[in-house]
């Protein structure tokens, strides 16, 4: 089964600075999705960004971008111009195209300091 | 838009009691899921339903049963609750197999004493 590893349990960043959260995964398949989900203190899981494995171009969503390194099985999230509202748990997740079993990493708790 | 709605949001049970977590989605999604979230372990899939009338086991199904009542509703039942089932439970839905993205409810915090 595929696994997702987030090696940074906690991180902090000053407001307006940039932070990068790390994620690695393990799979022998070629077609899959990768995601970053945000879970603020309210507990609601919110999709931040999504990457399809066949796309070489890194996904971006406003201040959020990823560095997808398929050969290295690495999928990091960069948050630019960090805001206080970015404080949350961030989960990296993996899903096959034709499989309902989405796998999540253990999460990284990000704190944005004023 | 309500999205995915779970009830109850909080519940305290005694060991051996039973209960059902309810989940409903109003996005006309085919697939629905139940996850549990434990500290330091991320989210783990308990059961899923790829379409109305079907259910399948996920990573941690022991101690749980599910029912896909119709396209909108997917319930999770604990027949005899154990302290190890103390967790936060999330229901999620997705449009289908080839979209990937899950839409989550707000979670249900269950404590088993």
């Amino acid at each position: 089964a595929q696994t997702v590893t987030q090696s940074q349990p906690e991180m902090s960043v000053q407001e307006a600075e940039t932070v990068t959260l790390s994620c690695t995964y393990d799979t022998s398949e070629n077609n899959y999705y990768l995601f970053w989900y945000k879970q603020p203190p309210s507990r609601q899981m919110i999709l931040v960004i999504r990457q399809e494995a066949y796309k070489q171009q890194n996904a971006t969503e406003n201040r959020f971008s990823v560095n997808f390194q398929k050969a290295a099985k690495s999928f990091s999230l960069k948050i630019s111009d960090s805001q206080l509202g970015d404080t949350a748990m961030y989960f990296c997740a993996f899903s096959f195209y034709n499989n309902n079993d989405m796998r999540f990493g253990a999460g990284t708790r990000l704190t944005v300091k004023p | 838009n309500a999205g995915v709605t779970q009830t109850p949001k909080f519940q305290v049970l005694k060991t051996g009691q039973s209960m059902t977590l309810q989940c409903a989605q109003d996005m006309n999604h085919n697939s629905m899921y139940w996850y549990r979230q434990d500290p330091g372990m991320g989210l783990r899939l308990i059961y899923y339903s790829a379409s109305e009338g079907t259910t399948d086991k996920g990573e941690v199904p022991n101690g749980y049963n599910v029912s896909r009542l119709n396209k909108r509703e997917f319930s999770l039942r604990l027949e005899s609750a154990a302290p190890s089932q103390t967790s936060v439970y999330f229901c999620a839905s997705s449009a289908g197999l080839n979209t990937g993205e899950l839409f989550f409810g707000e979670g249900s915090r269950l404590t088993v004493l």
Side-chain angles (χ1 to χ4, degrees), chain B residues 38-74:
Chain B
D38 301 296
M41 301 188 74
L43 279 76
R44 292 180 294 168
L45 183 65
I46 304 171
Y47 270 94
Y48 67 94
S49 171
S51 61
E52 185 179 355
T54 69
T55 61
D56 284 287
K57 295 178 180 179
E59 186 182 0
V60 289
N62 291 343
Y64 305 94
N65 287 302
V66 291
S67 296
R68 182 76 182 266
L69 304 170
N70 47 55
K71 191 171 186 178
R72 290 185 65 249
E73 298 173 289
F74 188 39

Side-chain angles (χ1 to χ4, degrees), chain A residues 26-96:
Chain A
D26 185 25
T27 182
S28 57
E29 300 293 327
N30 205 39
N31 296 319
Y32 49 87
Y33 295 107
L34 293 162
F35 307 85
W36 279 98
Y37 280 88
K38 171 185 176 180
Q39 185 180 42
S42 67
R43 277 199 330 227
Q44 182 96 47
M45 295 281 285
I46 303 164
L47 179 67
V48 174
I49 199 163
R50 171 179 121 165
Q51 176 81 39
E52 296 183 44
Y54 75 89
K55 291 186 178 178
Q56 292 184 334
Q57 186 174 6
N58 289 325
T60 63
E61 287 288 342
N62 300 314
R63 299 182 295 108
F64 299 88
S65 61
V66 298
N67 183 7
F68 174 46
Q69 301 289 329
K70 191 171 183 180
K73 296 179 183 176
S74 170
F75 184 63
S76 60
L77 175 69
K78 186 172 82 171
I79 305 175
S80 303
D81 185 26
S82 297
Q83 300 176 359
L84 297 178
D86 294 334
T87 292
M89 282 288 288
Y90 287 82
F91 292 96
C92 179
F94 172 104
S95 173
F96 291 126

